[in-house]
Amino acid sequence: MNAKAETAGPRERLLLAAENLLYSRGGSVGVSALLEEANVARRSLYEHFGGKDGLVAAVLRRTADEDLAWYESALGDGDSPRGRLLALFDRLDELVSNADFRGCRYLAIDLAFADQDHPAHAETDAYRGRIRALLVRELEALGHARPEHAAEQLHLLIEGTLVMGATQNHQHPARVARELAAVVLDG
Amino acid sequence: MNAKAETAGPRERLLLAAENLLYSRGGSVGVSALLEEANVARRSLYEHFGGKDGLVAAVLRRTADEDLAWYESALGDGDSPRGRLLALFDRLDELVSNADFRGCRYLAIDLAFADQDHPAHAETDAYRGRIRALLVRELEALGHARPEHAAEQLHLLIEGTLVMGATQNHQHPARVARELAAVVLDG
DNA sequence: TTGCCAGTAGATCGATCGGTCTATATGGTA
DNA sequence: TACCATATAGACCGATCGATCTACTGGCAA
């Protein structure tokens, strides 16, 4: 797939393969498919991650860092606090307009693993907490009167955008959400 | 489970059991679990629905009618067009606050069956089209200047509410969404 | 009474699941 | 050189998947 994937060790190759296949094929993707995509021996998966559950959790722990970094960069720089948050929805518009966008990875994983004890759920919870904290931080920088409340509103708009983008991607839900986000910021 | 389920025929019992188990256990629920819950012979499932895929699609065709009726009743009666749409979010607050609320059934099914040719996807598409039509109709009754645009905004708020309710149900996303819905109606 | 048919019960099929196992190869280090 | 950790390749395990099959039962209509 890329040069890094070919030279990296089996652990890294497995993480990359699982990151891709879990997203494109869903949580029901089989272990054999992951091994084939990663070009890794079956035993290596269980040595490094203990099993499929551990691999899934490890993937989410990694993508959480990546996705948080994406949100940070999507906020732009130098703009006003208000412009930063609005710019986020411009980047979301690009994201969900991509042909292979398939919705929020963390929601899909939560729905795929019905068992509440699955280690993936702890990772998705932590991810959402970090997203929320990021929004609160920006709203406080903006001097918003109710940063926690506004963060929940923005979070709902983001999640709604991702769902609409996954199910009706011919529209532009991020633009629709951006208008409402502007109301939140000024409220 | 209820009196109707015990006296009804195998087709009806299968639909009821699948409606419940597909929601509570997800699309990966096994055929044997469905048969046991419905107290139906294995052969009957394939006689009536041709297979698991057909049963899933039939369940969605039924729940679409039920859920559309729920939205119609949630709109209330006698109120103003504006009050009707706001009342919908009050009912959504009750819905997502329920302890066994697990999110939007149609989104979960879409994510569970990655194969684009699965007959369930046609049902979920049709369902969303009917929801959208309902919102447009109400917005036109309200005399909204941009009913299609506002319907997309309300739809996004509804989907966002369902996601937030499924993943962070200790909060009240429907109340948060209701405030933004009011903005949409007055915009 | 006879025949039909929808239903039940459950064995069985091939495929696939996640996971464990043995055997072998390789590369770095004592 | 000898050793050991880490990797690969792939057979193998029991369990479960969706689906097909035979055998039997009960009720209803001709």
Side-chain angles (χ1 to χ4, degrees), chain A residues 131-148:
Chain A
I131 290 288
R132 182 67 64 102
L134 179 147
L135 294 174
V136 170
R137 183 198 72 197
E138 290 295 318
L139 287 160
E140 287 175 343
L142 177 66
H144 197 282
R146 302 173 65 194
E148 295 282 350

Side-chain angles (χ1 to χ4, degrees), chain A residues 29-31 42-43 46 52:
Chain A
V29 64
V31 167
R42 201 171 189 80
R43 180 171 184 152
Y46 295 92
K52 182 186 175 184

Side-chain angles (χ1 to χ4, degrees), chain A residues 50-124:
Chain A
K52 182 186 175 184
D53 291 358
L55 175 58
V56 172
V59 166
L60 295 183
R61 212 170 303 125
R62 147 178 295 208
T63 61
D65 289 338
E66 294 174 352
D67 291 339
L68 260 294
W70 182 89
Y71 275 90
E72 293 284 357
S73 75
L75 289 170
D77 54 314
D79 291 357
S80 66
R82 186 175 184 279
R84 285 165 59 85
L85 281 167
L86 289 180
L88 170 58
F89 286 87
D90 295 330
R91 298 291 300 271
L92 281 172
D93 186 46
E94 302 170 10
L95 179 72
V96 305
S97 297
N98 192 310
D100 55 2
F101 176 76
R102 296 180 60 83
C104 174
R105 132 178 286 129
Y106 307 92
L107 178 61
I109 293 282
D110 278 329
L111 294 173
F113 299 105
D115 177 15
Q116 297 289 7
D117 296 331
H118 194 288
H121 298 308
E123 302 297 333
T124 61

Side-chain angles (χ1 to χ4, degrees), chain B residues 139 143-147 187:
Chain B
L139 287 160
H144 196 282
R146 302 172 65 194

